[in-house]
Structure formats: C-alpha cells, structure tokens
Amino acid sequence: MRTLLLSLTLLIGNVLSRLYMPNVHINYNTLQSIQTIDSHGKAQLSFKILQIPDMHYTGTPSHLCRNPPHDPCHESNMTSYIEQMLDNVAPDFVVFTGDQVEDIEVTHTADEVRHAIDSYTKHVIKRKIPWAMVFGNHDEGSSMSRLEMFDYISSLPYSYTKLGPEWIGGVGNYELHINSPDFMPVFRMYFLDTGFDGVISEAQNTYMRDLALWYRYQDLSAIMFYHIPIPEYNLYDGEVLKHGYQGEAVCNGPQSGLLDNLVKMGDVKATFVGHDHLNDYCVERHQIQLCYGGGAGYGQAYGSPTIARSARVIEWQRNSSKETLTTWKVADGDYTKSAYTLFERSFN
Ligand SMILES: *[C@@H]1O[C@H](CO)[C@@H](O)[C@H](O)[C@H]1NC(C)=O
Ligand SMILES: *[C@@H]1O[C@H](CO)[C@@H](O)[C@H](O)[C@H]1NC(C)=O
C-alpha cells in the first residue's frame, strides 16, 4: 500500500513537472539495484558500475600498441584485459566514457567503424551486462557522424544509451535511473557529451539543471559521466592526492561553468571522465569528487610502458541507516580492491 501510494505520488509529480518543464525528456528506461541482506539481517541495496575509459578500438586485433608495456603488444591484449576485468569485477552496469573507437584515419569506412563498435560492445553483450556510453573526441570521423554512430550503438542489445534533446550541443545528453526492486528510484546517473574540445554549452548546463530540478523531490544522490575533464580537475600547487596518481598534465576543456552548475543541481556527488590516459585520481571541489577513470587502451591508444592500463569501479550502497559511494581502480592484472569513499550520508 505504501509503495502504491509512493508510486502514485511519483507519477503525479512527474505529470506536474512535465507541464512546467516540457523540454525535459524523461527517461523511462530504468535499471534495478541489487538487494542483499547485510550483517544485521537487514535489506541492503547496491549497484556496481565499471567505468571503462579510452579504449580507442580500431577493430583490428593485430593493431600494434603505442607505448607497449610488453612485447608482443596488440589491440587483442585490450580484449583479454576487458574480458578478465568483466569476469573479475562482475559489474551490474558498464559505462564507456569516450574514445571507444579510433576513427581519425580517413580510410575508415562506415563498416569498419561499426566493426570497431562491435569489438568493444561484444564483451558486455555476451555477458548480458547492461551498458551505456558517452562520446569522446575520437569517436567520429569522416565516414560516420556521431548521430549515425549513435543510431547503431543504441540499437545494440543491453544498450541504455539515450539520445536526449538534439538541439543543445553534442549527441547523448541524458540521465538514467536506478530503482529498488519495488520500483522506487534510489540512485541516478547523468551523461554528457563534451564534444571534440570539451565545450559544454549553456543549453547543456541548463538541460542538466532542469533534469535535477525535475527530480529534486526524490532527494537522491547522483553521479555524472563525460569525457573531457573540466578545468577544476587541475591540481593546486602542492596538492596531495588522497586517491590515485597524476601521470600527465590535465588536458581540460574551457571553463564552461559545469562545476557551478553541479553545485546548483545538488544531487551530483562525483563526476567521472577519461581523456587523460595516465591520470587516475579523484580530487574534491566544492564537495563534489572529480575522478578520472584511467586509460584502458592497448593498441592505438597512447599509454605508458610503466603505468598499467586501468579502469574504475564505482559502487553505490544503501541500507536503512546509511548511503555510501565508493570507488577503486582496476589495473590490468591487479584486482586488489583498495576502496576510497567518495560520499556518504546517514539517514535519520
Ligand atoms: C598480448 O597479446 C599477445 C598476442 O597478440 C600475446 O602473445 C601476449 O601473451 C599478450 N600479452 C599479455 C601480457 O597478455
Ligand atoms: C548500514 O551499512 C553500514 C555500512 O555501509 C553499516 O555500518 C551499518 O551497520 C548498516 N546499518 C544497518 C541498520 O544495517
């Protein structure tokens, strides 16, 4: 009865919001959190996301590695790494945070681009793991536009990637909801396209803010994924990292006001980017954690012979008294879980 009443309230809230904000594209495609029993015998909800950044798939398994950490080194080493990681981490959801495919060579035909897309999506599809993505600056070339790639990507099995509004800048600005087993929303993810140069338009900022405003009655925590870091990812002079390493200078986009916007939205506790393959740290700015995913790419992706290719796990958990968001890195060959708390809050 309580659930029914709550559902009814949510439905009415949605209908009312819709009248006031007709521009918001509500996403009815929801995911489900996992319910387990904790050490106190109480129900606990969780959701484990694997962020895989910067694969730069060409679709040719024998494509040689740039900056190889071992010899021989081919794109096929990335495929082994991703498969091992999926089996080891067993995520509930996978997010590819840009530069999934390498399409800078003008010789690539649309068929080759589709083959490269198949090369990275087949691992999750085979394991029936739901997944989503944002585009990076390399995911488009002369042979296939972002929109065409998007059409193909969203047609693939277990894809939760959504187009979002088409007029605000970029392709694929959207949100995804995670529900409890009784269909109550419990957690949220936002996805943003930072294009080729990291510019986030005023309309994209407004759209994200409208979404947060729309859902504010739910009082949920959220995270955001995009490809190119914002300027606030830069470290202060002498800043000591609490989690992760900086292996290269931050290659951020221009100041587009995203951090200010996130502060206004209020629900986003952490953002996750890629782009700088050798950075895998998190820094806190205005109580929002700004995290890198690392770089998973062997093959055409640049890397370092001495820094292991890596990806990131993000785990959300909630029971009757506490909500926590933790993260850890998964380097190729190293699955030790060294969890770092991004956010937590107590209820009552
Ligand atoms: C990388 O892939 C090659 C085949 O391309 C294989 O011979 C080699 O063992 C792999 N290396 C590692 C470290 O997995
Ligand atoms: C909720 O989970 C936290 C750890 O995240 C634990 O310390 C606490 O005891 C749990 N509370 C209940 C009531 O199960």
Side-chain angles (χ1 to χ4, degrees):
M1 188 59 194
R2 186 174 161 265
T3 311
L4 184 70
L5 274 178
L6 278 169
S7 307
L8 216 62
T9 316
L10 286 179
L11 188 72
I12 292 166
N14 272 336
V15 170
L16 286 179
S17 310
R18 185 86 192 150
L19 292 176
Y20 288 109
M21 288 179 172
N23 56 325
V24 169
H25 294 210
I26 187 165
N27 193 356
Y28 291 104
N29 204 3
T30 58
L31 291 150
Q32 235 194 63
S33 57
I34 309 300
Q35 186 165 332
T36 51
I37 303 298
D38 70 11
S39 53
H40 298 75
K42 299 252 175 62
Q44 164 175 285
L45 298 178
S46 69
F47 196 69
K48 187 160 63 178
I49 302 155
L50 175 62
Q51 175 195 1
I52 305 183
D54 297 82
M55 298 174 292
H56 294 252
Y57 259 105
T58 66
T60 305
S62 61
H63 191 89
L64 287 174
C65 295
R66 287 167 72 183
N67 323 107
H70 46 66
D71 183 34
C73 185
H74 300 123
E75 186 169 294
S76 59
N77 292 102
M78 174 158 63
T79 299
S80 320
Y81 167 41
I82 290 173
E83 297 215 86
Q84 276 172 30
M85 184 158 58
L86 289 173
D87 292 338
N88 219 288
V89 173
D92 301 311
F93 193 65
V94 170
V95 180
F96 299 106
T97 48
D99 288 0
Q100 275 73 251
V101 304
E102 184 69 32
D103 190 28
I104 47 167
E105 288 144 274
V106 280
T107 49
H108 272 185
T109 64
D111 270 350
E112 284 171 319
V113 175
R114 267 191 293 273
H115 176 64
I117 294 173
D118 287 341
S119 303
Y120 82 83
T121 54
K122 68 180 177 203
H123 318 303
V124 285
I125 293 170
K126 191 168 78 186
R127 289 167 178 76
K128 301 185 166 62
I129 302 173
W131 60 279
M133 62 98 220
V134 291
F135 283 124
N137 48 310
H138 284 273
D139 290 289
E140 179 172 357
S142 51
S143 51
M144 216 173 176
S145 72
R146 254 169 159 69
L147 209 51
E148 284 170 312
M149 289 177 78
F150 184 90
D151 279 346
Y152 182 61
I153 289 165
S154 58
S155 75
L156 293 170
Y158 307 104
S159 170
Y160 279 73
T161 304
K162 196 188 150 199
L163 186 58
E166 281 179 73
W167 42 265
I168 62 171
V171 175
N173 299 288
Y174 59 106
E175 90 290 17
L176 261 174
H177 307 274
I178 294 110
N179 287 346
S180 66
D182 53 0
F183 307 109
M184 296 300 298
V186 290
F187 186 54
R188 180 163 44 249
M189 300 181 280
Y190 294 100
F191 301 83
L192 190 67
D193 182 4
T194 47
F196 298 104
D197 47 13
V199 172
I200 299 157
S201 72
E202 192 48 48
Q204 282 175 295
N205 270 321
T206 305
Y207 185 68
M208 290 292 143
R209 206 159 61 236
D210 281 352
L211 284 175
L213 195 61
W214 174 305
Y215 295 115
R216 75 183 180 282
Y217 63 92
Q218 297 175 339
D219 185 29
L220 300 184
S221 299
I223 55 178
M224 184 182 276
F225 296 96
Y226 51 100
H227 181 67
I228 298 180
I230 54 175
E232 290 83 355
Y233 270 79
N234 282 288
L235 303 182
Y236 301 129
D237 277 347
E239 183 167 13
V240 177
L241 290 172
K242 292 184 190 148
H243 170 78
Y245 299 96
Q246 180 174 34
E248 65 180 305
V250 175
C251 182
N252 57 271
Q255 182 53 267
S256 302
L258 180 65
L259 187 66
D260 283 350
N261 196 40
L262 296 175
V263 170
K264 285 183 196 143
M265 286 166 73
D267 53 349
V268 176
K269 309 303 175 197
T271 79
F272 302 89
V273 300
H275 196 52
D276 299 336
H277 304 182
L278 307 182
N279 293 341
D280 63 9
Y281 59 82
C282 297
V283 284
E284 193 180 317
R285 303 285 181 252
H286 296 299
Q287 283 156 25
I288 295 167
Q289 293 278 351
L290 304 182
C291 295
Y292 274 107
Y298 287 96
Q300 183 58 28
Y302 76 87
S304 161
T306 54
I307 299 174
R309 269 46 174 191
S310 74
R312 177 172 290 289
V313 183
I314 303 142
E315 189 170 45
W316 172 88
Q317 283 180 306
R318 187 169 123 176
N319 61 19
S320 57
S321 62
K322 210 166 183 187
E323 177 182 42
T324 55
L325 189 64
T326 52
T327 188
W328 61 95
K329 298 185 285 179
V330 268
D332 190 4
D334 182 5
Y335 295 98
T336 42
K337 175 177 166 180
S338 176
Y340 174 71
T341 302
L342 295 168
F343 170 78
E344 60 182 1
R345 65 170 167 169
S346 299
F347 301 112
N348 327 310

